[in-house]
Amino acid sequence: MSLDQLLNPQSSSNEKLSNDEIELYDRQIRLWGMEAQQRIRCTKILLINLSGIGTEIVKNLVLSGINELYLLDNNDVKEEDLATQFFLTEGEDDLFRLDIIGRKKLDVALPQIQELNPRVKIKINTRKSIYDFLDDGVRNLDNKDFFRQFNLVISTQLDSISNLKLNKITRSLNLPFYATSCHGLFGYFFSDLIMYDDLSNADNSHNNHKSNKSNKSNKSNKSNKSDNTHNSNNSNKLIYYPFHSLLSMNCNNSPFKNLRKRQLITKKKRILISVFILTLINYDFKYPSINKNEIKINEELFDEELGKMFGKLELFFEDENPGQIQEETRELLKVFLNNINCEFSPICAILGGSLAQDIINMLSFKNSPVNNFLVLDGLSSEMPIYQIIKKK
Amino acid sequence: MARDSYIQQIIGAEKYEQIKYAKVLLVGAGGIGCELLKDLILMGFGEIHIVDLDTIDLSNLNRQFLFRKKDIKKSKAFTAIKAVNKFKYDHTKLVPYMASIMDSDTFNLAWFDQFHLIFNALDNKDARSFINRICLFLKKPFIESGTTGFFGQVVPIFPYESECYDCTIKETPKSFPVCTIRSTPSQPVHCIHWAKNFLFAQLFGEINVSANNDVKTLGSDNKEEINTLINEQNELINLRNSIFDSNSSLEFALNIIKKIFIDDINKLLKIDDLWKTRKRPIPLDISLVKLLENDRKRVLLKQSNIDEILSNFQKLWSLNENLIVLIYSLINLRKRILNSNNPRSFIIDFDKDDEDTLNFAASSANIRSIIFDIPVKSKFDIKQIAGNIIPAIATTNAMMAGFSALQSLNNFNVLQHYLESKIVFTSIESKSMTNPSQLFPGSKTCASCTVLRELLKIKDIDNEKLTLRVLLKKILNNINYKKHFKDSTNEDDQDNNKPEISIVIGKNRLIYDIEFDDNLDRSLKSLGFKENQILTIKDDDDIKTEIELYILEDKTLSNDIYIPKIDNVPEKPKKKKPKVEPDTNPNEPITFDDEDDDENKKQDEDILEDTDDFITILDDGDEPDSSQLNNTMLQEDISAMNEKRKIEDHELDHQTKKIKIDLSLDD
Ligand SMILES: [Zn+2]
């Protein structure tokens, strides 16, 4: 079943929930309703790379009661994985943990994941790397069949080039796609739901939410020319833009272009973190690492890239020339660079929680899903959401 | 790389050492507790004590990811510890307790004092307030957290330096006038309330004849109505006896149905005044009762028929189906009483997870709804209202636990200076997932953090020579009220400078004031002094701040009694708006009386009236202890949070003197 069918409110092909399921999922059904729970139960998800955030996403989705989770990761357990990936364990005490180093991650994690919720089908693939799948999928249309069996694809800690390829495939199959990474105290998720019929506005159960949102969309319709919503008035069709838009930013599609000077100053730090993350995604695209999921940073090149990004976004602070990096900015940049490629459990928990919730929001129509780029700044606990559109 | 190389890189090796040796307390192993325990363990905290009285329930398993089906009925704290043992660091020490955190015999002040930081992952206000007070005594930081459905918040609290848990008024559950419940319901929730708190309690709960029988509590001035309601209640007591007198369970059940849904309704109908502006109820059709009475072959009351109805708990049951469920539950409940060891004094408490009691409440509420032309509800929905169930999901808990763990780093000045910790709310705006704010200073009218709190150490409480006189002398020596009284009396006269104080032990037991000195030569022990008691000292002019002394026994003391020196007791903060009774003399002494706690109540009301700052700490999804909450909680929480946010925005603007601009980041 395609996600469109799955989300169709008229779709009644879903089998009713059993009383056992209703008892188990009681506290969430009371929040998002039986129908949403039925849709969740029909959803098949592909998750690429277990990782720290991946671990959190897996936990949340398996608990929520999805139909099937297919995990793709052919990496071996490394000691630093144990900092966040709590499924990588066997036995009751520490001695056993040494034994798992070097084994296939998913082989170790599978029993722990399955135990969380025996109702969910968990499948693992440790034979092929994601890169093989991507190369096949891009080269050979038939290999898309592998992706066709899912309703949704998530990548975690994946490099920019692979995300780009993956998003091409998901778009061609009309599959929603999420990409997320944690870098120490910082992180992001990107979402591409292609075109999403947002029914959450029609729901009256969250009056505050609704009125709040409709105010907002009215405002944004007035203040910007289009792009935000498909049609003007009451349509709730949300248009999403592909991963590629993160790589082709300029002052025209800058998410910061409408910020006033004062906002730039009061929100400077979180804007800077957002710019650093966007720069990192671009840097990773331009200078792909040999080890594909570990970005190696050359600080000079990163600086250069950042300068370009400031310029491209026409973003500068305190009357200085674009591209010139201030002392304060440099300090923050130092912190940021120091965090790249680190996994940190609270950040993984927050990002993994918000990403899994976003998927459930998409399936339940209780809240509007994020459109389309969310940043987590662990220093300030801010989680700004930007819409990054395609270059015109 | 080593397992902890990431965190070392992120926060620095030196700070990581502090985390490695930090000893923390986690109160609650539920929704947020499980998540937080995982985060703290992965961050490498040195020692974590976890306290939870609860056992695991099936409905926990959708989010409390450390628990499995096979763990149901086991201790949450112990099971959680066992589960995380699999992935903890070697250096981390874990200590579980299955106990109430408010049990001061198990957990005294000294025990709390061993921790560097306390995490609250609780589901009720009482325990939260309790921890708040403990932390005020110890000046110990703690991080409060809570979620309801999609919403959540994390509030780091640094006692006396930032807003405490009690600084903001917590929502009081809605209550209904008794006459709305008893004679003129208009919403499903009125009928559910009636079924659970009145009818069920009268038939099976503790016998309490005097309750609700005076005019004041009935909330009606219609004499006729009051008499009817009082008679009704007395008749119910007879009906309760019919549990034992009836020939059969069916007879018992039908008698109750006839009385409640026909006779009592007919009596209400006789009070014309009630129905001038309201729709008249229609009593149950007697033929339906007859039908059931004649159901000798048990066609309607066949077990398979009953099972069929009960399995459709999301459906709206028909009148007939409700009657069948009610009879079935009455038969079962009667059986349980008759089969008990001491039937005459056996009582049954309403419990949403006790099928008989829930079936009773659901069906009788619905029948009453039909009589009063109110929409009926499914058993599934009634369970939520009657059982105060708050929706709870894994994702919100994971996020809030993540923020709690993240903010805890600030306690060690890792991300920021600790006073730059952030309060984090989930946001309902489309431009941001969270709504962090800076800490607020404590409220000047907060009854908790405007009190001075110190320790009163006693070498040997059993020492008979330690009299109240000895203690009083020590108090007057060490605690200096001078400044205020200097102006009003002769400076040189030391004795006149001594303020008139009153001393209260425990909640409200007055042991001394200027006109009540009978106890002066009694020993402290005989006056009820013991460890973990709190002594409250007030000046009789009610100008100076109250002082609370926490009693501890300390055998190592060199003196018999230790009270810290307080050089100048500050004045009590003035209340903002003395709206109620503006003429009242502020200097009027407050008297304490065992039997009368009206004074305390009035103070609470004042605070409620005076405060426009408003916050709700939410629950983590388990049912709160308080039995008065209802299903409007969620909606109210959301609006309360919006309200709070508005205030925050306002205050922030005020503080930073910046005009609020609508950010349009996603354009
Ligand atoms: Zn306070």
Side-chain angles (χ1 to χ4, degrees):
Chain A
M1 194 181 358
S2 80
L3 190 74
D4 286 348
Q5 279 171 295
L6 190 63
L7 291 179
N8 186 342
Q10 270 84 49
S11 161
S12 54
S13 61
N14 292 342
E15 208 186 304
K16 276 188 83 181
L17 298 167
S18 72
N19 286 348
D20 283 354
E21 284 171 292
I22 294 173
E23 261 193 85
L24 173 62
Y25 299 126
D26 185 276
R27 294 304 185 273
Q28 64 200 46
I29 289 172
R30 291 184 190 280
L31 191 59
W32 53 60
M34 298 284 176
E35 271 176 44
Q37 189 62 42
Q38 276 169 267
R39 281 195 291 273
I40 290 168
R41 194 185 51 181
C42 291
T43 307
K44 298 180 177 184
I45 296 177
L46 168 66
L47 186 123
I48 294 156
N49 289 341
L50 189 60
S51 78
I53 303 184
T55 298
E56 289 284 341
I57 295 170
V58 166
K59 175 201 71 194
N60 297 330
L61 290 177
V62 169
L63 288 174
S64 79
I66 57 168
N67 185 290
E68 178 186 314
L69 181 66
Y70 191 108
L71 294 158
L72 193 61
D73 190 332
N74 68 343
N75 287 303
D76 300 333
V77 179
K78 287 175 290 184
E79 216 172 308
E80 63 266 29
D81 293 335
L82 307 182
T84 50
Q85 300 166 35
F86 52 84
F87 292 130
L88 301 179
T89 174
E90 255 182 356
E92 302 283 313
D93 65 69
D94 304 314
L95 286 174
F96 287 89
R97 271 209 302 269
L98 297 172
D99 293 335
I100 62 176
I101 308 294
R103 287 176 55 194
K104 290 284 176 215
K105 263 192 195 180
L106 292 183
D107 286 337
V108 177
L110 178 65
Q112 321 290 333
I113 298 171
Q114 187 65 71
E115 212 187 23
L116 270 184
N117 189 347
R119 288 171 195 277
V120 180
K121 281 175 235 143
I122 314 287
K123 295 180 179 170
I124 58 168
N125 187 332
T126 58
R127 293 181 308 276
K128 258 169 112 180
S129 78
I130 177 61
Y131 311 108
D132 299 334
F133 274 105
L134 288 175
D135 290 343
D136 288 356
V138 174
R139 228 179 286 135
N140 181 348
L141 274 179
D142 288 347
N143 282 327
K144 280 188 193 163
D145 279 351
F146 168 73
F147 295 96
R148 215 187 291 274
Q149 59 182 308
F150 307 108
N151 304 116
L152 192 147
V153 177
I154 307 164
S155 82
T156 75
Q157 306 289 142
L158 194 62
D159 62 284
S160 294
I161 293 175
S162 299
N163 273 328
L164 203 64
K165 287 180 185 167
L166 189 56
N167 192 204
K168 257 187 196 136
I169 295 171
T170 57
R171 281 229 147 200
S172 73
L173 294 170
N174 204 25
L175 293 177
F177 168 65
Y178 284 84
T180 181
S181 282
C182 164
H183 295 287
L185 291 167
F186 314 100
Y188 72 89
F189 82 69
F190 163 84
S191 67
D192 177 19
L193 309 187
I194 306 166
M195 172 105 80
Y196 178 76
D197 218 350
D198 186 8
L199 302 177
S200 68
N201 270 348
D203 191 333
N204 281 322
S205 66
H206 282 80
N207 282 325
N208 294 306
H209 193 170
K210 188 189 152 197
S211 61
N212 202 309
K213 220 168 15 184
S214 57
N215 280 341
K216 287 269 150 52
S217 62
N218 283 343
K219 236 178 240 168
S220 55
N221 277 346
K222 262 182 243 160
S223 64
N224 86 57
K225 277 133 225 154
S226 62
D227 295 322
N228 199 12
T229 43
H230 185 43
N231 293 323
S232 50
N233 294 333
N234 290 323
S235 172
N236 292 314
K237 282 239 184 302
L238 302 178
I239 298 282
Y240 282 75
Y241 295 89
F243 193 82
H244 187 257
S245 41
L246 300 180
L247 303 170
S248 57
M249 270 194 302
N250 61 26
C251 57
N252 290 323
N253 65 356
S254 159
F256 315 105
K257 73 171 176 185
N258 284 352
L259 288 183
R260 270 158 272 177
K261 190 97 189 282
R262 181 173 289 282
Q263 291 168 305
L264 279 179
I265 293 164
T266 53
K267 302 281 177 190
K268 180 172 172 179
K269 278 198 173 165
R270 82 172 205 199
I271 291 170
L272 280 173
I273 294 295
S274 305
V275 173
F276 294 163
I277 284 180
L278 286 165
T279 307
L280 181 63
I281 292 168
N282 278 269
Y283 176 95
D284 183 42
F285 175 72
K286 216 165 167 181
Y287 308 104
S289 308
I290 305 144
N291 183 354
K292 287 189 175 179
N293 53 7
E294 266 186 30
I295 312 155
K296 289 277 172 289
I297 298 293
N298 174 323
E299 293 199 18
E300 260 172 58
L301 289 176
F302 193 92
D303 262 17
E304 193 186 307
E305 208 48 38
L306 182 64
K308 277 187 207 159
M309 185 64 83
F310 276 133
K312 276 201 271 184
L313 302 178
E314 287 186 359
L315 192 69
F316 47 93
F317 301 98
E318 293 146 16
D319 293 326
E320 290 297 330
N321 293 324
Q324 197 177 327
I325 297 167
Q326 301 294 304
E327 195 49 42
E328 204 189 337
T329 306
R330 173 140 328 266
E331 283 292 299
L332 197 60
L333 179 61
K334 232 171 97 186
V335 174
F336 181 79
L337 290 174
N338 183 54
N339 276 266
I340 288 179
N341 280 332
C342 292
E343 293 194 305
F344 192 39
S345 79
I347 300 298
C348 292
I350 297 164
L351 272 178
S354 53
L355 193 152
Q357 188 52 51
D358 206 62
I359 291 169
I360 292 165
N361 287 344
M362 177 188 72
L363 293 168
S364 66
F365 302 112
K366 277 283 167 188
N367 296 302
S368 297
V370 164
N371 185 3
N372 58 355
F373 193 65
L374 174 142
V375 170
L376 168 56
D377 170 13
L379 285 176
S380 65
S381 292
E382 302 255 14
M383 294 178 86
I385 296 166
Y386 305 100
Q387 191 188 34
I388 297 179
I389 65 175
K390 210 161 150 186
K391 188 168 149 186
K392 280 271 153 64
Chain B
M1 277 199 277
R3 184 181 175 188
D4 50 13
S5 49
Y6 287 147
I7 186 165
Q8 296 218 33
Q9 188 172 343
I10 294 165
I11 69 172
E14 221 172 282
K15 295 287 183 189
Y16 177 59
E17 281 301 301
Q18 276 180 271
I19 302 287
K20 259 176 100 169
Y21 289 102
K23 195 171 180 183
V24 299
L25 169 63
L26 172 53
V27 193
I32 296 180
C34 281
E35 291 283 342
L36 197 46
L37 180 60
K38 170 230 354 162
D39 294 346
L40 298 179
I41 279 176
L42 293 174
M43 287 160 83
F45 273 87
E47 184 167 338
I48 306 168
H49 292 229
I50 183 162
V51 180
D52 199 316
L53 182 63
D54 262 2
T55 55
I56 295 154
D57 189 74
L58 175 63
S59 65
N60 300 148
L61 302 187
N62 80 320
R63 61 193 186 284
Q64 298 174 16
F65 78 103
L66 298 174
F67 308 145
R68 308 283 171 261
K69 210 164 179 175
K70 64 173 169 30
D71 299 324
I72 288 173
K73 299 260 182 279
K74 289 186 193 159
S75 151
K76 283 189 177 180
F78 280 84
T79 310
I81 290 298
K82 211 172 161 227
V84 298
N85 260 326
K86 289 186 184 180
F87 57 81
K88 74 171 190 67
Y89 281 93
D90 289 339
H91 69 252
T92 303
K93 188 182 162 197
L94 299 169
V95 188
Y97 305 81
M98 186 180 176
S100 163
I101 195 66
M102 296 192 276
D103 173 5
S104 58
D105 291 334
T106 314
F107 310 117
N108 60 22
L109 205 65
W111 181 83
F112 281 101
D113 203 23
Q114 67 183 304
F115 302 107
H116 295 103
L117 179 64
I118 295 174
F119 293 90
N120 270 2
L122 282 158
D123 65 358
N124 67 86
K125 288 172 192 167
D126 285 353
R128 286 180 163 117
S129 258
F130 175 84
I131 295 286
N132 188 54
R133 249 161 82 95
I134 292 281
C135 289
L136 284 167
F137 269 112
L138 295 171
K139 300 176 182 62
K140 191 161 295 291
F142 70 107
I143 302 180
E144 176 52 55
S145 59
T147 66
T148 295
F150 300 120
F151 303 98
Q153 66 183 51
V154 167
V155 186
I157 294 171
F158 299 93
Y160 300 108
E161 294 185 270
S162 74
E163 210 171 58
C164 88
Y165 177 73
D166 290 333
C167 275
T168 48
I169 298 302
K170 307 304 174 294
E171 202 161 317
T172 42
K174 214 174 232 156
S175 65
F176 303 103
V178 176
C179 58
T180 306
I181 300 300
R182 298 273 303 275
S183 49
T184 54
S186 60
Q187 294 167 21
V189 63
H190 298 155
C191 296
I192 295 162
H193 193 90
W194 168 86
K196 174 193 155 192
N197 296 336
F198 173 68
L199 187 60
F200 185 85
Q202 287 292 318
L203 287 174
F204 304 107
E206 223 161 323
I207 303 160
N208 188 356
V209 188
S210 68
N212 293 344
N213 270 357
D214 64 277
V215 183
K216 221 164 112 190
T217 53
L218 282 173
S220 164
D221 44 16
N222 184 328
K223 247 200 165 144
E224 227 180 326
E225 183 185 5
I226 291 162
N227 283 334
T228 306
L229 293 182
I230 291 172
N231 285 337
E232 189 180 277
Q233 203 157 1
N234 292 335
E235 286 159 16
L236 267 174
I237 294 161
N238 294 334
L239 220 46
R240 187 185 177 118
N241 292 329
S242 76
I243 294 174
F244 310 102
D245 309 338
S246 303
N247 292 319
S248 75
S249 284
L250 184 62
E251 184 194 300
F252 160 72
L254 290 172
N255 275 339
I256 286 183
I257 289 171
K258 272 188 275 188
K259 152 107 177 71
I260 303 297
F261 298 117
I262 300 177
D263 301 347
D264 287 350
I265 302 295
N266 278 327
K267 280 176 201 157
L268 276 179
L269 278 167
K270 284 190 188 127
I271 311 168
D272 278 326
D273 282 356
L274 288 180
W275 315 111
K276 275 179 182 155
T277 56
R278 294 186 184 89
K279 198 165 174 205
R280 300 173 78 89
I282 300 166
L284 191 68
D285 189 344
I286 186 77
S287 65
L288 278 176
V289 182
K290 288 270 187 292
L291 194 72
L292 289 159
E293 217 162 23
N294 295 327
D295 186 30
R296 299 266 176 242
K297 284 181 190 155
R298 297 268 172 131
V299 181
L300 292 169
L301 294 171
K302 199 164 55 182
Q303 193 60 41
S304 62
N305 190 34
I306 295 166
D307 291 344
E308 169 75 19
I309 299 169
L310 288 176
S311 68
N312 287 318
F313 51 82
Q314 305 168 58
K315 211 187 94 176
L316 300 181
W317 291 334
S318 69
L319 178 57
N320 251 332
E321 287 169 329
N322 276 305
L323 278 167
I324 290 166
V325 173
L326 180 56
I327 290 171
Y328 176 67
S329 65
L330 280 168
I331 290 172
N332 285 347
L333 290 164
R334 178 174 184 259
K335 230 182 261 167
R336 278 162 63 172
I337 290 187
L338 293 182
N339 291 342
S340 68
N341 285 335
N342 194 353
R344 290 275 168 184
S345 61
F346 189 74
I347 58 161
I348 301 173
D349 289 322
F350 175 84
D351 176 354
K352 67 177 191 336
D353 296 317
D354 177 336
E355 281 296 297
D356 291 330
T357 66
L358 180 61
N359 286 336
F360 174 93
S363 56
S364 54
N366 276 338
I367 296 168
R368 187 168 171 87
S369 288
I370 293 167
I371 286 168
F372 282 87
D373 197 26
I374 296 166
V376 294
K377 290 249 172 199
S378 70
K379 180 179 158 187
F380 182 78
D381 288 342
I382 289 174
K383 182 176 180 177
Q384 179 158 356
I385 298 166
N388 316 313
I389 297 174
I390 294 168
I393 51 177
T395 49
T396 315
N397 286 337
M399 287 178 69
M400 289 302 117
F403 280 116
S404 185
L406 196 59
Q407 290 304 323
S408 75
L409 292 174
N410 286 331
N411 188 56
F412 307 91
N413 302 314
V414 172
L415 309 174
Q416 285 103 7
H417 180 265
Y418 71 95
L419 284 179
E420 285 162 22
S421 296
K422 297 287 183 294
I423 299 172
V424 186
F425 289 89
T426 49
S427 166
I428 51 164
E429 290 182 35
S430 58
K431 289 174 178 99
S432 184
M433 192 76 89
T434 55
N435 204 345
S437 92
Q438 66 207 63
L439 302 179
F440 297 109
S443 158
K444 291 199 172 62
T445 55
C446 173
S448 291
C449 66
T450 53
V451 170
L452 277 182
R453 288 195 174 73
E454 295 295 346
L455 300 182
L456 165 60
K457 293 185 187 168
I458 300 173
K459 188 171 187 167
D460 177 13
I461 293 177
D462 293 337
N463 183 353
E464 293 287 342
K465 282 182 202 151
L466 286 184
T467 58
L468 184 59
R469 193 185 298 277
V470 176
L471 178 70
L472 186 67
K473 197 178 159 209
K474 193 96 183 166
I475 286 174
L476 293 176
N477 272 338
N478 285 18
I479 300 178
N480 193 345
Y481 285 93
K482 214 170 179 179
K483 204 170 175 189
H484 167 69
F485 295 93
K486 215 182 192 173
D487 308 327
S488 53
T489 52
N490 179 3
E491 256 182 79
D492 303 323
D493 188 348
Q494 281 296 321
D495 276 345
N496 279 348
N497 275 345
K498 296 293 181 206
E500 296 177 355
I501 60 168
S502 61
I503 302 176
V504 170
I505 188 160
K507 266 210 160 72
N508 52 10
R509 185 163 171 235
L510 180 74
I511 53 171
Y512 170 79
D513 72 22
I514 200 72
E515 279 143 29
F516 176 52
D517 55 7
D518 312 15
N519 290 329
L520 279 176
D521 292 315
R522 288 179 63 183
S523 73
L524 298 182
K525 191 192 174 191
S526 71
L527 288 169
F529 277 57
K530 56 180 178 192
E531 267 210 297
N532 306 315
Q533 283 269 27
I534 291 166
L535 206 67
T536 309
I537 304 169
K538 293 176 147 208
D539 79 284
D540 283 351
D541 290 340
D542 198 26
I543 288 169
K544 294 285 190 169
T545 302
E546 268 172 47
I547 299 168
E548 284 185 8
L549 299 175
Y550 192 105
I551 301 168
L552 281 181
E553 200 169 36
D554 185 351
K555 301 278 185 208
T556 65
L557 278 184
S558 47
N559 299 324
D560 284 337
I561 297 178
Y562 165 80
I563 297 174
K565 279 234 182 263
I566 303 176
D567 273 343
N568 182 24
V569 182
E571 281 188 26
K572 231 180 186 170
K574 296 266 185 316
K575 284 186 187 160
K576 271 191 242 163
K577 292 169 262 170
K579 237 189 272 172
V580 191
E581 300 169 27
D583 296 331
T584 308
N585 174 10
N587 293 329
E588 198 170 64
I590 291 175
T591 50
F592 276 81
D593 189 331
D594 273 342
E595 284 153 26
D596 182 15
D597 58 354
D598 272 355
E599 192 60 52
N600 290 327
K601 255 189 231 149
K602 208 188 95 210
Q603 283 186 323
D604 286 344
E605 279 161 18
D606 287 351
I607 292 158
L608 270 171
E609 293 242 15
D610 282 351
T611 311
D612 45 17
D613 199 355
F614 197 90
I615 190 173
T616 314
I617 298 275
L618 306 166
D619 293 314
D620 94 324
D622 285 341
E623 305 71 43
D625 288 350
S626 152
S627 59
Q628 307 131 308
L629 300 168
N630 58 55
N631 70 323
T632 55
M633 273 294 282
L634 178 62
Q635 203 57 50
E636 284 168 13
D637 282 340
I638 296 164
S639 38
M641 274 184 26
N642 284 335
E643 204 53 45
K644 170 72 182 172
R645 195 159 295 131
K646 267 185 236 153
I647 293 159
E648 268 169 18
D649 285 349
H650 176 76
E651 288 190 357
L652 274 173
D653 285 345
H654 192 70
Q655 281 164 13
T656 55
K657 301 226 188 313
K658 274 173 194 143
I659 301 149
K660 194 181 165 236
I661 310 157
D662 184 25
L663 283 173
S664 23
L665 289 175
D666 64 349
D667 294 342

